[in-house]
Amino acid sequence: MIGVLDTIKREWMYITNVRKALKRAAMYQPDDPVGLADVLEEKFDKHKDNVAIRFEDKIYTYRELEERANQYAHWAINQGFKAGDTVALFMDNKPDYIAFWVGMSKAGIVTALINNQLQGAGLAHCVSISNARAIVMGPEQEELYASAKEQLGEDIVPWSLDCSIAGASSLDPLLADLPVTRPDRSHRAEIRGRDTCLYVYTSGTTGLPKAAKLTQVRVLGMLGAFVDSVGITERDRIYVTLPLYHATGGLCGVGQALTTGATLILARKFSASNFWDDAVKHKATSFAYIGELCRYLVKTDPHPLERQHTIRKGFGNGLRAEVWEKFVERFNIPHLVEFYGSTEGNVSFSNFDGKIGAVGRLPGYMRDKIKTRIVKFDIAEEKPIRGEDGFCIETDIDEAGEAIGEIADAPRQRFDGYHDPKQTEKKILRDVFVPGDMWFRTGDLMKRDEHDYIYFVDRIGDTFRWKGENVSTNEVGEALSSFDDLELPNVYGVAMPETDGRAGMAGVNLKPGRSFDGKALAAHVDQQLPVYARPIFIRIQPEPETTGTLKYRKVDLVKQGYDISQIDDPVYVRLPGSDTYEPLTAEIVDDINSGKVRF
């Protein structure tokens, strides 16, 4: 009887939430003349006296937020920018960040949200591919901008805010004299739902980012995506420590406030040591997370306020099972909505009922409504497997495969692609189940269980072959995380001469006061992992290399491999037949490369 009741409860919760999500997704259509600015102006009118943002020791009402946005809109219009033009925003988290892109939307102008840590060629690349006419930056970006200035060229006009930057014009004196009233809607009269609203960049963990085009409809959908499932009302206070150039915090988190009249508690950046102090000080009721944020909090020493806060709910993505359980229990936050989705893609899942480890569900009775499938995948070739008829094959229960989504004109199924058409084409899979159909490739391996829960397995590029087997970096990372002396493992595969596949290597941190015990670690991985998945090399790092959204950087680590002549960190190796990890020396490297030592 209990099993029947649990099933009824699970299905009722799923149906109720997915119905709301589908209804919200259908509110705006690509041909609609209503855009982001129109919707937000209605919300501002309704909630004008509510507190919109709490930032450090200051508060801003929705009236004040919109007045600032209106000044930015008038500035852009006075500069001669037209609807469809692009302006790059290169700034740390602050209320002006939100006011700026809201203001640009009022004039029909596209904002490119640039990672505020970029420099040199990477910064120049992101600004240039958006065709931005100007770049607006804060004081923290002065040196970063200087490193890219020559590569940006003279066509991109630099502007500074709250500071003076060499070669840039200052926005501050101009804004002070601009009206706080709304600009005439005629400036965006031609904008439709299918037109680009923002550029948000894919994570640069493995190379230069791509500029994903977010249309008016898509941005509106993202702003309201988690309002219903998290249960946000205007009485909530949503704590966002994630960078505003990233969709999870900057659009989904900010959007929970903008679309409901709730209050956004905004931090300049995530700080594990300050997290609970700020949450209690500002009386947060909800928060936005990514998995590594939760992992960092779990790894910190106990904080006197970690259970004295008022946070009771949150949403985010990338929360691994072994952290999830500890996080909920330790910090007493009962309702987390884990989701899966890419900034630009049409595949998304939400875990409405808190099933530990799952990113969502896709019951069979929703297959006609939600056109997402998981197809068999060849790890070595890095492409879906096709049957004798030439079409892709869906996976079985508990079998990992690539998640794909059918591309169509419906808002939920659209794939608007990237600024670069070649990058767009790489993400499209054609003739998948019938001739002529098109599906978006997530690049992620997933699997489903017997109850139709969906689990993230790994990024395709993060799964490597060794000893004829597929090794999941996430699986290895979880095993290393459970070893008491280590934390924050970053797992990847490295090439060896005359060897098929890639050998496992992990960059790890030692916990404070701990030393590396190679024999104990070897015994631990033997117990936790199959032979083929046990890492060969361990690299001890002082700090993990991460992106601005706390995702691990791997491209440089993979490039360096186990070449200790390029590495300042201590590196250890587990040789064939050994029961310990020992220091990697130049002699051992030579023996590996010459084939004297074979794994």
Side-chain angles (χ1 to χ4, degrees):
M1 185 63 178
I2 294 177
V4 173
L5 292 176
D6 287 344
T7 299
I8 293 172
K9 180 180 178 181
R10 179 186 68 211
E11 298 305 324
W12 174 253
M13 183 176 291
Y14 176 83
I15 292 170
T16 300
N17 279 282
V18 82
R19 179 181 60 81
K20 290 178 181 179
L22 292 174
K23 181 179 179 181
R24 190 177 284 274
M27 288 176 65
Y28 309 104
Q29 299 297 321
D31 292 328
D32 286 349
V34 176
L36 171 67
D38 301 304
V39 173
L40 290 184
E41 285 183 351
E42 288 182 9
K43 303 296 183 183
F44 292 147
D45 286 341
K46 184 177 180 180
H47 303 294
K48 55 188 174 184
D49 294 323
N50 289 14
V51 174
I53 302 174
R54 288 178 171 270
F55 180 70
E56 297 175 343
D57 293 322
K58 297 180 180 179
I59 63 172
Y60 304 83
T61 65
Y62 277 95
R63 186 200 309 273
E64 291 169 327
L65 175 63
E66 190 191 8
E67 287 177 349
R68 186 65 161 175
N70 290 338
Q71 289 181 311
Y72 282 122
H74 286 296
W75 164 79
I77 293 166
N78 290 349
Q79 293 302 311
F81 299 145
K82 305 295 184 184
D85 285 344
T86 299
V87 175
L89 181 59
F90 186 44
M91 192 183 296
D92 280 13
N93 282 14
K94 60 183 67 175
D96 271 299
Y97 194 104
I98 300 166
F100 186 88
W101 63 255
V102 171
M104 294 304 100
S105 75
K106 286 170 173 278
I109 293 166
V110 180
T111 308
L113 307 182
I114 308 295
N115 181 327
N116 59 33
Q117 299 180 48
L118 290 179
Q119 60 183 334
L123 172 58
H125 164 80
C126 287
V127 175
S128 299
I129 63 174
S130 71
N131 289 335
R133 292 186 57 187
I135 179 172
V136 175
M137 52 198 152
E140 299 84 1
Q141 283 66 49
E142 181 175 8
E143 292 184 7
L144 302 176
Y145 167 71
S147 71
K149 185 176 179 180
E150 292 185 4
Q151 300 173 67
L152 284 169
E154 298 180 357
D155 293 336
I156 300 171
V157 181
W159 291 83
S160 63
L161 182 71
D162 296 331
C163 63
S164 176
I165 294 178
S169 301
S170 177
L171 265 168
D172 300 278
L174 298 182
L175 290 175
D177 295 329
L178 289 172
V180 297
T181 54
R182 291 173 179 171
D184 194 280
R185 193 183 180 282
S186 61
H187 293 288
R188 62 176 189 270
E190 301 304 315
I191 295 294
R192 295 294 180 266
R194 67 175 67 252
D195 291 322
T196 304
C197 179
L198 299 171
Y199 284 117
V200 176
Y201 293 78
T202 60
S203 177
T205 54
T206 56
L208 291 173
K210 301 186 291 290
K213 294 191 292 185
L214 301 190
T215 64
Q216 302 281 330
V217 167
R218 189 169 183 87
V219 171
L220 285 169
M222 295 175 79
L223 293 183
F226 300 99
V227 169
D228 297 316
S229 57
V230 179
I232 298 297
T233 72
E234 66 177 295
R235 297 175 63 85
D236 277 303
R237 296 185 178 191
I238 305 144
Y239 187 26
V240 172
T241 65
L242 303 178
L244 293 180
Y245 61 78
H246 186 250
T248 300
L251 295 181
C252 299
V254 169
Q256 287 182 343
L258 295 185
T259 57
T260 63
T263 297
L264 176 73
I265 303 167
L266 181 63
R268 288 186 183 271
K269 61 182 179 179
F270 169 69
S271 167
S273 59
N274 294 333
F275 188 90
W276 300 114
D277 291 317
D278 287 346
V280 171
K281 175 183 177 181
H282 295 293
K283 299 179 181 178
T285 62
S286 183
F287 79 116
Y289 68 81
I290 55 176
E292 288 310 308
L293 181 154
C294 298
R295 186 188 294 274
Y296 283 134
L297 289 175
V298 166
K299 294 294 184 182
T300 57
D301 293 332
H303 189 287
L305 299 179
E306 67 180 36
R307 292 179 67 88
Q308 307 303 314
H309 57 83
T310 51
I311 296 176
R312 290 296 175 264
K313 53 195 176 183
F315 83 100
N317 61 311
L319 184 54
R320 305 298 295 176
E322 84 280 2
V323 176
W324 190 332
E325 209 160 7
K326 295 175 184 176
F327 185 88
V328 170
E329 181 179 346
R330 176 173 167 180
F331 302 122
N332 190 30
I333 301 178
H335 181 48
L336 295 182
V337 177
E338 172 78 2
F339 79 95
Y340 167 85
S342 62
T343 302
E344 72 278 26
N346 64 2
V347 174
S348 61
F349 300 105
S350 290
N351 181 343
F352 302 121
D353 59 12
K355 173 75 170 178
I356 299 289
V359 297
R361 285 186 72 220
L362 182 56
Y365 56 78
M366 291 301 298
R367 284 171 60 89
D368 290 339
K369 292 273 188 188
I370 301 176
K371 299 296 182 69
T372 297
R373 303 291 183 263
I374 302 175
V375 295
K376 292 177 182 288
F377 191 82
D378 187 324
I379 295 293
E381 297 293 329
E382 292 199 357
K383 64 181 181 181
I385 296 170
R386 294 181 182 264
E388 293 182 0
D389 58 3
F391 298 125
C392 294
I393 309 163
E394 291 193 56
T395 56
D396 298 322
I397 290 174
D398 290 327
E399 179 186 9
E402 184 176 8
I404 59 175
E406 187 178 28
I407 299 172
D409 286 333
R412 183 180 174 83
Q413 291 182 254
R414 289 181 64 86
F415 170 50
D416 297 295
Y418 308 102
H419 189 271
D420 182 348
K422 293 180 181 178
Q423 297 292 346
T424 299
E425 187 60 32
K426 289 179 181 179
K427 298 292 283 186
I428 298 176
L429 192 63
R430 300 178 185 275
D431 302 322
V432 178
F433 297 115
V434 295
D437 65 349
M438 296 190 301
W439 293 68
F440 171 77
R441 295 191 60 184
T442 63
D444 290 327
L445 296 177
M446 297 191 179
K447 64 181 180 180
R448 62 184 176 89
D449 68 13
E450 59 181 342
H451 299 298
D452 295 313
Y453 284 102
I454 307 295
Y455 299 85
F456 177 83
V457 176
D458 224 329
R459 289 289 300 169
I460 284 172
D462 288 346
T463 300
F464 57 88
R465 297 277 287 180
W466 180 246
K467 301 294 185 182
E469 300 283 353
N470 301 328
V471 180
S472 165
T473 59
N474 277 325
E475 179 186 3
V476 179
E478 289 175 12
L480 293 175
S481 292
S482 64
F483 185 64
D484 203 36
D485 293 340
L486 306 182
E487 60 185 359
L488 307 177
N490 186 3
V491 181
Y492 47 99
V494 295
M496 280 185 180
E498 305 299 323
T499 303
D500 291 332
R502 291 178 175 267
M505 188 165 185
V508 300
N509 296 118
L510 288 174
K511 291 181 179 178
R514 305 292 177 85
S515 58
F516 183 74
D517 187 334
K519 191 163 187 175
L521 177 60
H524 177 78
V525 298
D526 286 353
Q527 186 179 40
Q528 296 287 321
L529 294 168
V531 174
Y532 64 84
R534 298 168 190 166
I536 304 296
F537 302 100
I538 300 292
R539 174 174 175 171
I540 308 297
Q541 295 182 277
E543 292 292 338
E545 291 288 325
T546 61
T547 68
T549 56
L550 305 183
K551 294 179 180 178
Y552 292 130
R553 292 191 185 279
K554 296 188 180 182
V555 62
D556 291 334
L557 298 178
V558 171
K559 190 180 299 182
Q560 292 169 355
Y562 57 91
D563 184 356
I564 57 175
S565 67
Q566 299 185 50
I567 302 171
D568 294 328
D569 305 325
V571 179
Y572 294 82
V573 61
R574 187 176 184 183
L575 295 172
S578 174
D579 64 352
T580 188
Y581 287 92
E582 61 186 84
L584 181 64
T585 64
E587 290 76 18
I588 295 176
V589 170
D590 289 342
D591 287 346
I592 292 172
N593 291 340
S594 67
K596 186 176 180 180
V597 173
R598 300 191 65 85
F599 291 88

